Amino acid sequence: MGRDITLFLSVLAPLLLCALQPWIPQFGLCAATLTHSEGQKNFDRHKYDVFVSFCGKDTRTNFTAHLLDAFDRKGIGAYMDNRDLPRGGEIESEIFNAIEKSRIAVIVFSKNYGTSRWCRDELMKIMECKRRFNQRVIPVFYLVSPSKVSEQMGNFAEAVKLAGWHFEPDGCRLETEFIGEIVETIWKILRGESPISTIPLCCQNRVQNARLRSIHLTSRL
């Protein structure tokens, strides 16, 4: 009996192999499709190009409003709470969700940013996304020095050390030009033309005719 079963299986195995051969590539295709789907799911996590964290009473109606408008005109998808925040939604969870779904976070440090609990919560979430998702984080120091912000931020001073921009009006540098430089650099980053490490920390140099000069973070520290 055992010999008969062995003989039967030896005849059946080649027949099954021949019958299933046309379907074998399909199993490989399914596995590849599953892998692609997982990668696509991770890619689709990004809903916005940029999330801008700012202190409303300092910059909502001036600098940040102009920056968001410039992003919009350039075709850069920036999150705007007055447009993208669902009515009746829980503000904090919606904001944190928008941060997670953004490719780049721009932090507009201003006079009262470091003393705002809301801003500090946003910053904490942004730095979490930087660690978890390698989110790109770019600080902008608007009418405030990096050293002053560092004093305010305490444990969050890590963000102050990142490369970014510093703007102080001195009569030779227009705010519109400053915003244009930020927008163009972020546009290049999104297109893969400018690595994050090349973003300069810009400071007003009043000693040399108050002309704007750019230096790398490593040379500043």
Side-chain angles (χ1 to χ4, degrees):
M1 181 67 178
R3 184 177 300 176
D4 292 339
I5 293 175
T6 302
L7 180 61
F8 173 74
L9 291 177
S10 65
V11 174
L12 182 61
L15 294 175
L16 287 174
L17 183 61
C18 291
L20 291 174
Q21 189 168 4
W23 297 94
I24 291 176
Q26 297 297 325
F27 292 118
L29 179 61
C30 291
T33 302
L34 180 60
T35 302
H36 173 73
S37 297
E38 289 297 319
Q40 188 69 24
K41 180 179 179 181
N42 185 59
F43 177 82
D44 289 341
R45 180 176 63 81
H46 296 119
K47 182 177 180 180
Y48 307 102
D49 292 325
V50 179
F51 178 92
V52 181
S53 177
F54 63 95
C55 180
K57 68 178 180 179
D58 287 346
T59 67
R60 177 181 290 278
T61 60
N62 43 67
F63 176 79
T64 297
H66 301 154
L67 178 62
L68 290 172
D69 182 62
F71 281 145
D72 188 57
R73 285 186 277 108
K74 189 68 174 179
I76 295 174
Y79 175 84
M80 300 183 189
D81 56 2
N82 60 345
R83 179 195 66 189
D84 299 315
L85 188 64
R87 292 184 181 276
E90 186 179 342
I91 296 177
E92 185 175 62
S93 62
E94 293 292 344
I95 293 291
F96 284 3
N97 185 53
I99 292 173
E100 286 191 1
K101 292 185 177 181
S102 298
R103 297 178 185 277
I104 299 173
V106 173
I107 308 168
V108 180
F109 287 115
S110 56
K111 180 181 177 180
N112 295 293
Y113 186 98
T115 59
S116 167
R117 183 196 66 81
W118 190 267
C119 291
R120 294 169 76 92
D121 287 347
E122 285 186 1
L123 180 59
M124 181 173 64
K125 182 63 178 180
I126 288 170
M127 298 310 292
E128 175 191 323
C129 289
K130 182 180 184 298
R131 291 187 293 270
R132 290 179 59 196
F133 309 124
N134 198 30
Q135 185 181 67
R136 293 177 170 182
V137 180
I138 305 172
V140 175
F141 301 93
Y142 182 74
L143 305 183
V144 67
S145 68
S147 59
K148 181 65 175 178
V149 174
S150 182
E151 292 174 4
Q152 292 179 333
M153 299 313 298
N155 294 334
F156 300 100
E158 175 190 356
V160 181
K161 299 177 183 180
L162 299 173
W165 290 274
H166 180 201
F167 178 77
E168 288 282 357
D170 60 1
C172 71
R173 179 71 167 177
L174 297 176
E175 185 173 296
T176 52
E177 295 177 353
F178 179 70
I179 289 175
E181 179 181 335
I182 295 173
V183 172
E184 285 300 321
T185 303
I186 288 180
W187 173 251
K188 290 180 179 179
I189 292 172
L190 291 170
R191 297 179 61 184
E193 297 179 10
S194 176
I196 200 73
S197 59
T198 64
I199 297 177
L201 178 60
C202 301
C203 303
Q204 298 294 338
N205 187 348
R206 293 182 174 82
V207 177
Q208 299 178 356
N209 299 321
R211 293 183 61 86
L212 188 72
R213 67 184 176 87
S214 300
I215 58 174
H216 289 291
L217 177 64
T218 52
S219 64
R220 183 177 176 80
L221 296 178

